[in-house]
Coordinates of all heavy atoms in Angstrom, one line a residue:
M1 N -2.6 56.1 -45.2 CA -2.3 56.3 -43.7 C -1.2 55.3 -43.3 O -1.3 54.1 -43.6 CB -3.6 56.1 -43.0 CG -3.5 56.1 -41.5 SD -5.0 55.9 -40.5 CE -6.2 55.3 -41.7
N2 N -0.2 55.8 -42.8 CA 1.0 55.0 -42.4 C 0.8 54.7 -40.9 O 1.0 55.6 -40.0 CB 2.2 55.8 -42.6 CG 3.5 55.0 -42.3 OD1 3.6 54.3 -41.4 ND2 4.5 55.2 -43.2
R3 N 0.6 53.4 -40.6 CA 0.3 53.0 -39.2 C 1.6 53.2 -38.3 O 1.4 53.6 -37.2 CB -0.1 51.5 -39.2 CG -0.5 51.1 -37.8 CD -1.3 49.8 -37.9 NE -1.7 49.2 -36.6 CZ -2.7 49.6 -35.9 NH1 -3.6 50.4 -36.4 NH2 -3.0 49.0 -34.8
E4 N 2.7 53.0 -38.8 CA 3.9 53.3 -38.0 C 4.1 54.7 -37.7 O 4.5 55.1 -36.6 CB 5.2 52.7 -38.7 CG 5.3 51.2 -38.6 CD 5.3 50.7 -37.2 OE1 6.1 51.2 -36.3 OE2 4.6 49.7 -36.9
K5 N 3.8 55.6 -38.6 CA 3.8 57.0 -38.3 C 2.8 57.4 -37.2 O 3.1 58.2 -36.3 CB 3.5 57.9 -39.5 CG 4.7 58.1 -40.4 CD 4.3 59.0 -41.6 CE 5.5 59.4 -42.4 NZ 5.1 60.3 -43.5
I6 N 1.6 56.8 -37.3 CA 0.6 57.0 -36.3 C 1.1 56.6 -34.9 O 0.9 57.3 -33.9 CB -0.7 56.3 -36.7 CG1 -1.4 57.0 -37.9 CG2 -1.7 56.3 -35.5 CD1 -2.6 56.3 -38.5
R7 N 1.7 55.4 -34.9 CA 2.2 54.9 -33.6 C 3.3 55.8 -33.1 O 3.2 56.2 -31.9 CB 2.8 53.5 -33.8 CG 1.9 52.3 -33.9 CD 2.6 51.0 -34.2 NE 3.8 50.8 -33.4 CZ 3.8 50.1 -32.3 NH1 2.7 49.6 -31.8 NH2 4.9 49.9 -31.6
Y8 N 4.2 56.3 -33.9 CA 5.2 57.2 -33.5 C 4.6 58.5 -32.9 O 4.9 59.0 -31.9 CB 6.2 57.5 -34.6 CG 7.2 58.6 -34.3 CD1 8.4 58.2 -33.7 CD2 6.9 59.9 -34.4 CE1 9.3 59.2 -33.3 CE2 7.8 60.9 -34.0 CZ 9.0 60.5 -33.5 OH 9.9 61.5 -33.1
S9 N 3.6 59.0 -33.7 CA 3.0 60.3 -33.3 C 2.3 60.2 -32.0 O 2.4 61.1 -31.1 CB 2.1 60.8 -34.4 OG 1.4 61.9 -34.0
I10 N 1.5 59.1 -31.8 CA 0.8 59.0 -30.5 C 1.8 58.9 -29.3 O 1.6 59.6 -28.3 CB -0.1 57.7 -30.6 CG1 -1.3 58.0 -31.6 CG2 -0.7 57.4 -29.2 CD1 -2.1 56.8 -31.9
L11 N 2.8 58.1 -29.5 CA 3.8 57.9 -28.4 C 4.5 59.2 -28.1 O 4.7 59.6 -27.0 CB 4.7 56.8 -28.7 CG 5.6 56.3 -27.5 CD1 4.7 55.7 -26.5 CD2 6.6 55.2 -28.0
K12 N 4.8 60.0 -29.2 CA 5.5 61.3 -29.1 C 4.6 62.3 -28.4 O 5.1 63.0 -27.5 CB 5.9 61.8 -30.4 CG 6.8 63.0 -30.4 CD 8.1 62.8 -29.8 CE 9.0 64.0 -29.9 NZ 10.3 63.8 -29.2
E13 N 3.4 62.3 -28.7 CA 2.4 63.2 -28.1 C 2.3 62.9 -26.6 O 2.3 63.8 -25.7 CB 1.1 63.2 -28.7 CG 1.0 63.8 -30.1 CD 1.3 65.3 -30.0 OE1 0.7 66.0 -29.1 OE2 2.1 65.8 -30.8
I14 N 2.2 61.6 -26.2 CA 2.2 61.3 -24.8 C 3.5 61.7 -24.1 O 3.4 62.2 -23.0 CB 1.9 59.8 -24.6 CG1 0.5 59.5 -25.2 CG2 2.0 59.3 -23.2 CD1 0.1 58.0 -25.3
D15 N 4.6 61.4 -24.8 CA 5.9 61.8 -24.2 C 6.0 63.3 -24.0 O 6.6 63.8 -23.0 CB 7.0 61.3 -25.1 CG 8.4 61.4 -24.4 OD1 8.5 61.1 -23.2 OD2 9.4 61.8 -25.1
N16 N 5.3 64.1 -24.8 CA 5.3 65.6 -24.7 C 4.3 66.1 -23.7 O 4.1 67.3 -23.5 CB 5.0 66.2 -26.0 CG 6.2 66.1 -27.0 OD1 7.3 65.9 -26.6 ND2 5.9 66.2 -28.3
G17 N 3.6 65.1 -23.0 CA 2.6 65.5 -22.0 C 1.2 65.8 -22.5 O 0.4 66.3 -21.8
N18 N 1.0 65.4 -23.8 CA -0.3 65.6 -24.4 C -1.2 64.4 -24.3 O -0.6 63.3 -24.1 CB -0.2 66.1 -25.8 CG 0.6 67.4 -25.9 OD1 0.4 68.3 -25.1 ND2 1.5 67.4 -26.9
R19 N -2.5 64.5 -24.5 CA -3.4 63.4 -24.6 C -4.0 63.3 -26.0 O -5.0 63.9 -26.2 CB -4.5 63.5 -23.5 CG -3.9 63.3 -22.1 CD -4.9 63.6 -21.0 NE -6.1 62.8 -21.2 CZ -7.2 63.1 -20.5 NH1 -7.3 64.1 -19.7 NH2 -8.3 62.4 -20.7
P20 N -3.3 62.6 -26.9 CA -3.9 62.5 -28.2 C -5.2 61.8 -28.3 O -5.5 60.9 -27.4 CB -2.8 61.6 -29.0 CG -2.1 60.9 -27.9 CD -2.2 61.7 -26.7
L21 N -6.0 62.1 -29.3 CA -7.3 61.5 -29.5 C -7.3 60.8 -30.8 O -6.7 61.2 -31.8 CB -8.4 62.6 -29.6 CG -8.4 63.5 -28.3 CD1 -9.4 64.7 -28.6 CD2 -8.9 62.8 -27.1
H22 N -8.1 59.7 -30.9 CA -8.2 59.0 -32.2 C -8.7 59.8 -33.3 O -8.3 59.6 -34.5 CB -9.1 57.7 -32.0 CG -10.6 58.1 -31.9 ND1 -11.2 58.5 -30.7 CD2 -11.6 58.0 -32.8 CE1 -12.5 58.7 -30.9 NE2 -12.7 58.4 -32.2
T23 N -9.5 60.8 -33.1 CA -10.0 61.7 -34.1 C -8.9 62.5 -34.8 O -9.1 62.9 -36.0 CB -11.1 62.6 -33.6 OG1 -10.6 63.4 -32.5 CG2 -12.3 61.8 -33.1
E24 N -7.9 62.8 -34.1 CA -6.7 63.5 -34.7 C -6.0 62.7 -35.8 O -5.3 63.3 -36.6 CB -5.7 63.9 -33.6 CG -6.3 64.9 -32.6 CD -5.4 65.1 -31.4 OE1 -4.9 64.1 -30.8 OE2 -5.1 66.3 -31.1
Y25 N -6.2 61.4 -35.7 CA -5.5 60.5 -36.6 C -6.4 59.9 -37.7 O -6.0 59.1 -38.5 CB -4.8 59.4 -35.8 CG -3.8 60.0 -34.9 CD1 -4.1 60.2 -33.6 CD2 -2.5 60.3 -35.3 CE1 -3.2 60.8 -32.7 CE2 -1.6 60.8 -34.5 CZ -1.9 61.1 -33.2 OH -1.0 61.7 -32.3
E26 N -7.7 60.2 -37.6 CA -8.7 59.7 -38.5 C -8.7 58.2 -38.4 O -8.8 57.5 -39.4 CB -8.5 60.2 -39.9 CG -8.7 61.7 -40.0 CD -8.4 62.2 -41.4 OE1 -8.0 61.5 -42.3 OE2 -8.6 63.4 -41.6
I27 N -8.7 57.6 -37.2 CA -8.8 56.2 -36.9 C -9.9 56.0 -36.0 O -10.4 56.9 -35.3 CB -7.5 55.6 -36.4 CG1 -7.1 56.2 -35.1 CG2 -6.4 55.7 -37.4 CD1 -5.8 55.6 -34.4
T28 N -10.4 54.8 -35.9 CA -11.5 54.5 -34.9 C -11.0 54.4 -33.5 O -9.8 54.2 -33.3 CB -12.2 53.2 -35.3 OG1 -11.3 52.1 -35.0 CG2 -12.7 53.1 -36.7
Q29 N -11.9 54.5 -32.6 CA -11.6 54.4 -31.2 C -11.0 53.0 -30.9 O -10.0 52.9 -30.1 CB -12.8 54.5 -30.3 CG -12.6 54.3 -28.8 CD -11.8 55.5 -28.2 OE1 -11.7 56.6 -28.7 NE2 -11.3 55.2 -27.0
N30 N -11.5 51.9 -31.5 CA -10.9 50.6 -31.4 C -9.5 50.5 -31.9 O -8.7 49.8 -31.3 CB -11.8 49.5 -32.0 CG -13.0 49.2 -31.0 OD1 -12.9 49.3 -29.8 ND2 -14.1 48.7 -31.6
E31 N -9.2 51.1 -33.0 CA -7.9 51.1 -33.6 C -6.9 51.8 -32.6 O -5.8 51.4 -32.4 CB -7.8 51.8 -35.0 CG -8.5 51.0 -36.0 CD -8.6 51.7 -37.3 OE1 -9.0 52.9 -37.3 OE2 -8.4 51.1 -38.4
F32 N -7.4 53.0 -32.1 CA -6.6 53.7 -31.1 C -6.3 52.8 -29.9 O -5.2 52.8 -29.4 CB -7.3 55.0 -30.7 CG -6.5 55.9 -29.8 CD1 -5.5 56.7 -30.3 CD2 -6.8 56.0 -28.5 CE1 -4.8 57.6 -29.5 CE2 -6.1 56.8 -27.6 CZ -5.1 57.6 -28.2
C33 N -7.3 52.2 -29.4 CA -7.1 51.3 -28.2 C -6.2 50.1 -28.6 O -5.4 49.8 -27.7 CB -8.5 50.7 -27.8 SG -9.5 51.9 -27.0
D34 N -6.2 49.6 -29.8 CA -5.3 48.6 -30.2 C -3.8 49.1 -30.1 O -2.9 48.4 -29.6 CB -5.5 48.1 -31.6 CG -6.8 47.2 -31.7 OD1 -7.3 46.7 -30.7 OD2 -7.2 47.1 -32.9
I35 N -3.6 50.3 -30.5 CA -2.3 50.9 -30.5 C -1.8 51.1 -29.1 O -0.7 50.7 -28.7 CB -2.2 52.2 -31.3 CG1 -2.4 51.9 -32.8 CG2 -1.0 53.0 -31.0 CD1 -2.7 53.2 -33.6
I36 N -2.7 51.6 -28.2 CA -2.3 51.8 -26.8 C -2.0 50.5 -26.1 O -1.0 50.3 -25.4 CB -3.4 52.6 -26.1 CG1 -3.6 54.0 -26.7 CG2 -3.1 52.7 -24.6 CD1 -2.3 54.9 -26.6
Q37 N -2.9 49.5 -26.4 CA -2.6 48.2 -25.8 C -1.3 47.6 -26.3 O -0.6 47.0 -25.5 CB -3.8 47.2 -26.1 CG -3.7 45.9 -25.4 CD -3.8 46.1 -23.9 OE1 -4.7 46.6 -23.4 NE2 -2.8 45.6 -23.2
N38 N -1.0 47.8 -27.6 CA 0.3 47.3 -28.1 C 1.5 48.0 -27.4 O 2.5 47.4 -27.0 CB 0.4 47.5 -29.6 CG -0.4 46.5 -30.3 OD1 -0.7 45.4 -29.9 ND2 -0.8 46.9 -31.5
F39 N 1.3 49.3 -27.1 CA 2.4 50.0 -26.4 C 2.6 49.4 -25.0 O 3.7 49.3 -24.5 CB 2.0 51.5 -26.2 CG 2.2 52.3 -27.5 CD1 1.4 53.5 -27.6 CD2 3.0 52.0 -28.5 CE1 1.5 54.3 -28.8 CE2 3.1 52.7 -29.7 CZ 2.4 53.9 -29.8
I40 N 1.5 49.1 -24.3 CA 1.5 48.5 -23.0 C 2.2 47.2 -23.1 O 3.1 46.9 -22.3 CB 0.1 48.4 -22.4 CG1 -0.5 49.8 -22.2 CG2 0.1 47.7 -21.1 CD1 -2.0 49.9 -21.9
D41 N 1.7 46.3 -24.0 CA 2.3 45.0 -24.1 C 3.8 45.0 -24.5 O 4.5 44.1 -24.1 CB 1.5 44.2 -25.2 CG 0.1 43.9 -24.8 OD1 -0.3 44.1 -23.6 OD2 -0.7 43.6 -25.7
E42 N 4.2 46.0 -25.3 CA 5.6 46.1 -25.7 C 6.5 46.7 -24.7 O 7.7 46.9 -24.9 CB 5.7 46.8 -27.0 CG 5.0 46.1 -28.2 CD 4.8 47.0 -29.4 OE1 5.4 48.0 -29.5 OE2 4.0 46.5 -30.3
G43 N 5.9 47.2 -23.6 CA 6.6 47.9 -22.6 C 7.0 49.3 -22.9 O 8.0 49.9 -22.3
L44 N 6.3 49.9 -23.9 CA 6.7 51.3 -24.3 C 5.9 52.4 -23.5 O 6.3 53.5 -23.4 CB 6.3 51.5 -25.8 CG 7.0 50.5 -26.8 CD1 6.6 50.8 -28.2 CD2 8.5 50.5 -26.6
L45 N 4.8 52.0 -22.8 CA 4.0 52.9 -22.1 C 3.6 52.3 -20.8 O 3.2 51.1 -20.7 CB 2.7 53.2 -23.0 CG 1.8 54.3 -22.6 CD1 2.5 55.7 -22.6 CD2 0.6 54.4 -23.5
A46 N 3.7 53.1 -19.7 CA 3.3 52.7 -18.4 C 2.2 53.6 -17.9 O 2.0 54.7 -18.3 CB 4.5 52.8 -17.5
N47 N 1.5 53.0 -16.9 CA 0.3 53.7 -16.2 C -0.8 54.1 -17.2 O -1.4 55.1 -17.0 CB 0.8 55.0 -15.5 CG 1.9 54.7 -14.5 OD1 1.9 53.6 -13.9 ND2 2.8 55.7 -14.2
A48 N -1.0 53.2 -18.2 CA -2.1 53.3 -19.1 C -2.8 52.0 -19.1 O -2.3 51.0 -18.8 CB -1.6 53.7 -20.5
K49 N -4.1 52.1 -19.5 CA -4.8 50.8 -19.7 C -6.0 51.0 -20.7 O -6.4 52.1 -21.0 CB -5.3 50.3 -18.4 CG -6.3 51.1 -17.6 CD -6.6 50.5 -16.3 CE -7.4 51.4 -15.4 NZ -7.8 50.8 -14.1
V50 N -6.4 49.9 -21.2 CA -7.5 49.8 -22.1 C -8.6 49.0 -21.4 O -8.4 47.9 -21.0 CB -7.2 49.2 -23.5 CG1 -8.4 49.1 -24.4 CG2 -6.1 50.0 -24.1
E51 N -9.8 49.7 -21.3 CA -11.0 49.0 -20.7 C -12.1 48.8 -21.6 O -12.3 49.7 -22.5 CB -11.4 49.8 -19.4 CG -10.4 49.8 -18.3 CD -10.9 50.4 -17.1 OE1 -12.0 51.0 -17.1 OE2 -10.2 50.3 -16.0
R52 N -12.9 47.8 -21.4 CA -14.1 47.6 -22.1 C -15.2 48.4 -21.5 O -15.4 48.6 -20.4 CB -14.5 46.1 -22.0 CG -13.7 45.2 -22.9 CD -14.6 44.1 -23.5 NE -13.7 43.4 -24.4 CZ -13.6 43.6 -25.7 NH1 -14.2 44.6 -26.2 NH2 -12.8 42.9 -26.4
M53 N -16.0 49.0 -22.5 CA -17.2 49.8 -22.1 C -18.4 49.2 -22.9 O -18.7 49.7 -23.9 CB -16.9 51.3 -22.4 CG -15.7 51.9 -21.8 SD -15.8 52.0 -20.1 CE -16.9 53.3 -19.8
G54 N -18.9 48.2 -22.4 CA -20.0 47.5 -23.2 C -19.5 46.4 -24.0 O -18.3 46.0 -23.8
S55 N -20.3 45.9 -24.9 CA -19.9 44.7 -25.6 C -18.9 44.9 -26.7 O -18.0 44.1 -26.9 CB -21.2 44.0 -26.2 OG -21.8 44.9 -27.1
N56 N -18.9 46.0 -27.4 CA -18.0 46.2 -28.5 C -17.2 47.5 -28.4 O -16.4 47.8 -29.3 CB -18.8 46.3 -29.8 CG -19.4 45.0 -30.2 OD1 -18.8 43.9 -29.9 ND2 -20.5 45.0 -30.9
K57 N -17.3 48.2 -27.3 CA -16.6 49.5 -27.2 C -15.5 49.4 -26.2 O -15.7 48.8 -25.1 CB -17.6 50.6 -26.9 CG -16.9 52.0 -26.9 CD -18.0 53.1 -26.8 CE -17.2 54.4 -26.9 NZ -18.1 55.5 -26.9
R58 N -14.4 50.0 -26.5 CA -13.2 50.1 -25.5 C -12.8 51.5 -25.4 O -13.0 52.3 -26.3 CB -12.1 49.3 -26.0 CG -12.4 47.8 -26.1 CD -11.2 47.0 -26.5 NE -10.8 47.4 -27.9 CZ -9.6 47.1 -28.4 NH1 -8.7 46.6 -27.8 NH2 -9.4 47.5 -29.7
V59 N -12.2 51.8 -24.3 CA -11.6 53.2 -24.1 C -10.2 53.1 -23.6 O -9.9 52.2 -22.8 CB -12.5 54.0 -23.1 CG1 -12.6 53.3 -21.7 CG2 -12.1 55.4 -23.0
A60 N -9.3 53.9 -24.1 CA -7.9 54.0 -23.7 C -7.8 55.0 -22.6 O -8.2 56.2 -22.8 CB -7.0 54.3 -24.8
L61 N -7.3 54.6 -21.4 CA -7.1 55.5 -20.3 C -5.6 55.9 -20.3 O -4.8 55.1 -19.8 CB -7.5 54.9 -19.0 CG -9.0 54.4 -19.0 CD1 -9.3 53.7 -17.7 CD2 -10.0 55.6 -19.2
I62 N -5.3 57.1 -20.8 CA -3.9 57.5 -20.9 C -3.5 58.7 -20.0 O -2.3 59.1 -19.9 CB -3.4 57.7 -22.3 CG1 -4.3 58.8 -23.0 CG2 -3.5 56.4 -23.1 CD1 -3.8 59.2 -24.3
K63 N -4.5 59.2 -19.3 CA -4.2 60.3 -18.4 C -3.2 59.8 -17.3 O -3.4 58.8 -16.7 CB -5.4 60.9 -17.8 CG -5.2 62.1 -16.9 CD -6.5 62.6 -16.3 CE -6.2 63.9 -15.5 NZ -7.4 64.4 -14.9
G64 N -2.1 60.5 -17.2 CA -1.1 60.2 -16.2 C -0.2 59.1 -16.6 O 0.7 58.6 -15.9
S65 N -0.3 58.7 -17.9 CA 0.6 57.6 -18.4 C 2.0 58.3 -18.7 O 2.1 59.5 -18.8 CB 0.0 57.0 -19.7 OG -0.1 57.9 -20.7
R66 N 3.0 57.4 -18.9 CA 4.3 57.9 -19.2 C 5.0 57.0 -20.1 O 4.7 55.8 -20.1 CB 5.1 58.1 -18.0 CG 5.5 56.9 -17.2 CD 6.4 57.1 -16.0 NE 6.7 55.8 -15.4 CZ 7.5 54.9 -15.8 NH1 8.2 55.1 -16.9 NH2 7.7 53.8 -15.1
V67 N 5.8 57.5 -21.0 CA 6.6 56.7 -21.9 C 7.8 56.1 -21.1 O 8.5 56.8 -20.4 CB 7.1 57.6 -23.1 CG1 8.0 56.8 -24.0 CG2 5.9 58.2 -23.8
T68 N 8.0 54.8 -21.2 CA 9.0 54.1 -20.5 C 10.4 54.4 -21.2 O 10.5 55.0 -22.3 CB 8.8 52.6 -20.5 OG1 8.8 52.1 -21.8 CG2 7.4 52.3 -19.8
T69 N 11.4 53.9 -20.6 CA 12.8 53.9 -21.2 C 12.8 53.2 -22.6 O 13.3 53.8 -23.5 CB 13.8 53.3 -20.3 OG1 13.8 53.9 -19.0 CG2 15.2 53.3 -20.9
E70 N 12.1 52.1 -22.7 CA 12.0 51.4 -23.9 C 11.2 52.3 -25.0 O 11.6 52.3 -26.1 CB 11.3 50.1 -23.8 CG 12.1 49.0 -23.0 CD 11.9 49.2 -21.5 OE1 11.2 50.1 -21.0 OE2 12.5 48.4 -20.7
G71 N 10.2 53.0 -24.5 CA 9.5 53.8 -25.4 C 10.3 55.0 -25.9 O 10.2 55.4 -27.0
K72 N 11.1 55.6 -25.0 CA 12.0 56.6 -25.4 C 13.1 56.1 -26.4 O 13.4 56.9 -27.3 CB 12.7 57.3 -24.2 CG 11.6 58.1 -23.3 CD 12.3 58.8 -22.2 CE 11.3 59.5 -21.3 NZ 10.6 60.6 -21.9
E73 N 13.5 54.9 -26.2 CA 14.4 54.3 -27.2 C 13.8 54.2 -28.5 O 14.4 54.4 -29.6 CB 14.9 53.0 -26.7 CG 15.9 53.1 -25.6 CD 16.3 51.7 -25.0 OE1 16.1 50.7 -25.6 OE2 16.9 51.7 -23.9
Y74 N 12.5 53.7 -28.6 CA 11.7 53.6 -29.8 C 11.7 55.0 -30.5 O 11.9 55.1 -31.7 CB 10.3 53.1 -29.5 CG 9.4 53.1 -30.7 CD1 9.3 52.1 -31.6 CD2 8.5 54.2 -30.8 CE1 8.4 52.2 -32.7 CE2 7.6 54.3 -31.9 CZ 7.6 53.3 -32.8 OH 6.7 53.3 -33.9
L75 N 11.4 56.0 -29.7 CA 11.3 57.3 -30.3 C 12.6 57.8 -30.9 O 12.7 58.4 -31.9 CB 10.8 58.4 -29.3 CG 9.3 58.2 -28.8 CD1 9.0 59.1 -27.7 CD2 8.3 58.4 -30.0
S76 N 13.7 57.5 -30.1 CA 15.0 58.0 -30.6 C 15.5 57.2 -31.8 O 16.3 57.7 -32.6 CB 16.0 57.9 -29.4 OG 16.3 56.6 -29.1
K77 N 15.1 56.0 -32.0 CA 15.5 55.2 -33.1 C 14.9 55.7 -34.4 O 15.3 55.4 -35.5 CB 15.1 53.7 -33.0 CG 15.9 53.0 -32.0 CD 15.5 51.5 -31.9 CE 16.2 50.8 -30.8 NZ 15.8 49.4 -30.6
N78 N 13.9 56.5 -34.3 CA 13.2 57.1 -35.5 C 13.5 58.5 -35.6 O 12.5 59.4 -35.7 CB 11.7 56.8 -35.4 CG 11.3 55.3 -35.4 OD1 11.5 54.7 -36.5 ND2 10.9 54.8 -34.3
T79 N 14.7 58.9 -35.7 CA 15.1 60.3 -35.7 C 14.7 61.0 -37.0 O 14.4 62.2 -37.0 CB 16.7 60.5 -35.6 OG1 17.3 59.7 -36.6 CG2 17.1 60.0 -34.2
A80 N 14.6 60.3 -38.1 CA 14.1 60.9 -39.4 C 12.7 61.3 -39.2 O 12.3 62.4 -39.6 CB 14.3 59.9 -40.5
W81 N 11.9 60.5 -38.6 CA 10.5 60.9 -38.3 C 10.4 62.1 -37.3 O 9.6 62.9 -37.5 CB 9.7 59.7 -37.8 CG 9.3 58.7 -38.8 CD1 9.5 58.8 -40.2 CD2 8.7 57.4 -38.6 NE1 9.1 57.6 -40.8 CE2 8.6 56.8 -39.8 CE3 8.3 56.8 -37.4 CZ2 8.0 55.5 -39.9 CZ3 7.8 55.5 -37.6 CH2 7.6 54.9 -38.8
S82 N 11.3 62.1 -36.4 CA 11.3 63.1 -35.4 C 11.5 64.5 -36.1 O 10.8 65.5 -35.7 CB 12.4 62.9 -34.4 OG 12.5 64.0 -33.5
K83 N 12.4 64.6 -37.0 CA 12.6 65.9 -37.7 C 11.4 66.3 -38.5 O 11.0 67.4 -38.4 CB 13.9 65.7 -38.6 CG 15.1 65.6 -37.8 CD 16.3 65.4 -38.7 CE 17.6 65.1 -37.9 NZ 18.7 64.8 -38.7
A84 N 10.8 65.3 -39.2 CA 9.7 65.6 -40.0 C 8.5 66.0 -39.2 O 7.7 66.9 -39.5 CB 9.3 64.5 -40.9
Y85 N 8.3 65.3 -38.0 CA 7.2 65.5 -37.1 C 7.3 66.9 -36.5 O 6.3 67.6 -36.4 CB 7.2 64.4 -36.0 CG 6.1 64.5 -35.1 CD1 4.8 64.0 -35.5 CD2 6.2 65.0 -33.8 CE1 3.7 64.0 -34.7 CE2 5.1 65.0 -33.0 CZ 3.9 64.5 -33.4 OH 2.8 64.6 -32.6
S86 N 8.5 67.3 -36.2 CA 8.6 68.6 -35.5 C 8.3 69.8 -36.5 O 7.9 70.9 -36.1 CB 10.0 68.8 -34.9 OG 11.0 68.8 -35.9
L87 N 8.4 69.5 -37.8 CA 8.1 70.5 -38.8 C 6.7 70.5 -39.3 O 6.2 71.5 -39.8 CB 9.0 70.3 -40.0 CG 10.5 70.5 -39.8 CD1 11.3 70.1 -41.1 CD2 10.9 71.9 -39.4
A88 N 6.0 69.5 -39.0 CA 4.6 69.4 -39.5 C 3.7 70.3 -38.7 O 3.9 70.5 -37.5 CB 4.1 67.9 -39.3
K89 N 2.8 71.0 -39.3 CA 1.9 71.9 -38.7 C 0.8 71.2 -37.9 O 0.4 71.6 -36.9 CB 1.3 72.9 -39.7 CG 2.3 73.8 -40.3 CD 1.6 74.8 -41.2 CE 2.7 75.7 -41.8 NZ 2.1 76.6 -42.8
E90 N 0.3 70.1 -38.5 CA -0.8 69.4 -37.8 C -0.5 67.9 -37.9 O 0.1 67.4 -38.9 CB -2.1 69.7 -38.5 CG -2.7 71.1 -38.3 CD -4.1 71.2 -38.7 OE1 -4.8 70.2 -38.8 OE2 -4.5 72.4 -39.0
I91 N -1.0 67.2 -36.9 CA -0.8 65.7 -36.9 C -1.4 65.1 -38.1 O -0.7 64.2 -38.7 CB -1.4 65.1 -35.6 CG1 -0.7 65.6 -34.4 CG2 -1.5 63.6 -35.7 CD1 -1.4 65.3 -33.1
R92 N -2.5 65.5 -38.5 CA -3.2 64.8 -39.7 C -2.3 65.0 -41.0 O -2.3 64.0 -41.8 CB -4.5 65.5 -39.9 CG -5.6 65.0 -38.9 CD -6.9 65.6 -39.3 NE -7.8 65.3 -38.2 CZ -8.9 66.1 -37.9 NH1 -9.1 67.1 -38.6 NH2 -9.7 65.7 -36.9
D93 N -1.7 66.1 -41.1 CA -0.8 66.3 -42.3 C 0.4 65.3 -42.3 O 0.8 64.8 -43.3 CB -0.3 67.7 -42.4 CG -1.4 68.7 -42.7 OD1 -2.5 68.3 -43.2 OD2 -1.3 69.9 -42.3
W94 N 0.9 65.1 -41.1 CA 2.1 64.3 -41.0 C 1.9 62.8 -41.1 O 2.6 62.1 -41.7 CB 2.8 64.5 -39.6 CG 4.1 63.9 -39.5 CD1 5.3 64.4 -40.1 CD2 4.4 62.7 -38.8 NE1 6.3 63.5 -39.8 CE2 5.8 62.5 -39.0 CE3 3.7 61.8 -38.1 CZ2 6.4 61.4 -38.5 CZ3 4.3 60.7 -37.6 CH2 5.7 60.5 -37.8
V95 N 0.8 62.3 -40.6 CA 0.5 60.9 -40.7 C 0.0 60.4 -42.0 O 0.0 59.2 -42.3 CB -0.4 60.4 -39.6 CG1 0.1 60.6 -38.2 CG2 -1.8 61.0 -39.7
K96 N -0.3 61.2 -42.9 CA -0.8 60.8 -44.3 C 0.3 60.4 -45.1 O 1.4 60.7 -45.0 CB -1.6 61.9 -44.9 CG -3.0 62.1 -44.2 CD -3.8 63.1 -44.9 CE -5.1 63.3 -44.2 NZ -6.0 64.2 -44.8

């Protein structure tokens, strides 16, 4: 599993108006939350947040979020991935 591909795919899906799920990437909810929190911290994603739900569980709230200008630059810097991603039939096939 390529973590950078997963990051790219999640951000691309959000940019396309979709709401990706951790199960699509075969990662845990906490790993997904880490990625979303990193996007927020890096200024790649706006109007999203990660909240605690109990002692060990977190949830990523991405409904209504948007990819920032910096996020769009991140996506455009990875044009080779963009071509491969657009040809992939399923997210799971692409991130492996």
Side-chain angles (χ1 to χ4, degrees):
M1 175 175 18
N2 184 318
R3 188 161 174 88
E4 283 303 312
K5 279 186 174 182
I6 291 172
R7 282 176 46 92
Y8 175 88
S9 176
I10 291 170
L11 196 61
K12 185 69 175 173
E13 286 298 313
I14 293 170
D15 192 42
N16 288 338
N18 299 320
R19 289 176 52 196
L21 304 170
H22 73 279
T23 54
E24 296 172 309
Y25 299 95
E26 298 178 353
I27 60 175
T28 67
Q29 177 71 18
N30 278 335
E31 290 171 317
F32 185 80
C33 288
D34 287 343
I35 291 169
I36 297 300
Q37 187 62 57
N38 286 335
F39 287 156
I40 295 166
D41 294 345
E42 295 166 15
L44 305 179
L45 191 60
N47 301 331
K49 61 182 171 177
V50 175
E51 291 189 350
R52 286 219 175 270
M53 304 294 286
S55 60
N56 291 328
K57 189 171 181 172
R58 295 181 298 160
V59 62
L61 305 173
I62 58 174
K63 184 178 180 180
S65 63
R66 65 174 180 78
V67 175
T68 64
T69 301
E70 292 86 357
K72 290 184 183 290
E73 287 174 14
Y74 171 85
L75 293 173
S76 70
K77 286 180 184 177
N78 294 292
T79 55
W81 285 353
S82 178
K83 291 175 186 174
Y85 186 75
S86 64
L87 296 174
K89 291 183 182 180
E90 289 192 25
I91 292 171
R92 287 183 187 153
D93 293 337
W94 188 76
V95 297
K96 289 184 180 179

